[in-house]
Amino acid sequence: MTLTHSSSGSAHRRPRGPARQSRAGIAFVSAYVLLLIAFGVVPTGYATYFAFTNAGGAFTGFSTFITTAQDFRFMDAVGHVALYLLYWLVSLVVFVVALALLLHRLSSGTVSKSLRFLYYVPGALAGAASVLVWLFILDPAVSPVSSLLAAMGFDTFGEVIAPGHLPLLFTVIAFWTGAGGWIVVMYSALNNIPTDVMEAARIDGAGAWQTAWHVQIPMLRKWIVYMVILAFASGAQLFVEPQLLSLASVGVAGRDYSLNQLTYDFAFQLNNVHGAAVSPASDGDSAAPVDGMRRGSARRR
């Protein structure tokens, strides 16, 4: 009787562990959900409201979208971002995978750890700080690589940041800042490839190139796709690099080079919150503050 009671009591107590873990998980997730609603869902809904209404709050359908798309700067900005994304994604896939494979081939643990650290160091800099570093590097007057710039035919800062060079320059800055983290991710994914698979490739007589092309890269495919998706999302939000370059070059780069810059211009220069809300790069964050300033100005009148 006692044993039966004890076993039944322990059977009743067992579910309490998973239930406690479930409550802890909900507590952790709820904080994120609150932030997601406050800084993601609400601004997006706010921007959607402005996208389909006018200054008087009347429903306008897609007229604001059409007006914004007909802006003379819109298609140029789309082209600039598209060309930058092409350079950025191709260089990211090719060089990140190649450097990760090279890092994985190194037999020395000390060298491998040092390189992983060096790859990741530029990512510790904020976006604005990394752009300022590159502004210093790209100015032949103060650059530590001024001799290299001169050998390439660049004597002034304006020649280096000519409009035709900007997609490549932004790609170099983005790669220098963001590629290190992805190299570490790909390196970790390579370490997760089963040892017996690699051993079977060696037994079959596959060399380093054949192993990389036929075994390692195919097994990295899902990680490469994941990297491309996130890199596309971040690259489409191009703003800091052209904005700071525009300020440093006194308008050579233009303040409407990217879609995010155009959104910023609509919201804070033209006071057109509805045009900012329909921009492809807008997530509502530009629309909210400018609408608040517009309403405050109206109340003061």
Side-chain angles (χ1 to χ4, degrees), residues 175-195:
F175 188 89
W176 184 76
T177 305
W182 286 117
I183 292 171
V184 174
V185 170
M186 294 297 170
Y187 174 80
S188 301
L190 287 169
N191 285 333
N192 287 329
I193 296 177
T195 307

Side-chain angles (χ1 to χ4, degrees), residues 132-149:
L132 292 176
V133 169
W134 275 95
L135 287 177
F136 175 76
I137 294 174
L138 295 174
D139 189 349
V142 294
S143 175
V145 293
S146 57
S147 58
L148 176 61
L149 294 174

Side-chain angles (χ1 to χ4, degrees), residues 53-228:
T53 58
N54 58 20
F59 179 75
T60 58
F62 290 95
S63 62
T64 307
F65 289 83
I66 296 172
T67 303
T68 303
Q70 291 175 343
D71 188 282
F72 70 95
R73 302 167 295 176
F74 180 79
M75 291 309 299
D76 288 340
V78 171
H80 295 156
V81 174
L83 187 59
Y84 161 71
L85 284 174
L86 177 63
Y87 290 168
W88 164 230
L89 296 179
V90 170
S91 64
L92 195 67
V93 171
V94 173
F95 291 110
V96 163
V97 174
L99 290 172
L101 289 170
L102 178 63
L103 189 63
H104 190 258
R105 291 287 300 177
L106 294 175
S107 58
S108 173
T110 303
V111 174
S112 178
K113 290 178 182 178
S114 301
L115 286 177
R116 273 180 282 163
F117 175 74
L118 291 175
Y119 286 153
Y120 195 73
V121 165
L125 292 175
S130 64
V131 176
L132 292 176
V133 169
W134 275 95
L135 287 177
F136 175 76
I137 294 174
L138 295 174
D139 189 349
V142 294
S143 175
V145 293
S146 57
S147 58
L148 176 61
L149 294 174
M152 297 173 63
F154 301 125
D155 298 320
T156 64
F157 184 57
E159 292 177 351
V160 176
I161 61 167
H165 303 158
L166 293 182
L168 184 58
L169 292 178
F170 295 149
T171 299
V172 171
I173 296 172
F175 188 89
W176 184 76
T177 305
W182 286 117
I183 292 171
V184 174
V185 170
M186 294 297 170
Y187 174 80
S188 301
L190 287 169
N191 285 333
N192 287 329
I193 296 177
T195 307
D196 54 349
V197 175
M198 299 296 294
E199 188 64 28
R202 293 191 190 98
I203 293 173
D204 289 339
W209 170 256
Q210 291 174 317
T211 301
W213 186 256
H214 296 289
V215 178
Q216 292 174 304
I217 292 178
M219 298 190 77
L220 287 178
R221 188 177 294 119
K222 65 179 180 181
W223 295 103
I224 294 173
V225 172
Y226 176 68
M227 176 181 68
V228 168

Side-chain angles (χ1 to χ4, degrees), residues 43-60 274 277 295:
T44 301
Y46 203 47
T48 302
Y49 166 76
F50 282 117
F52 291 98
T53 58
N54 58 20
F59 179 75
T60 58
H274 304 277
R295 292 175 184 270

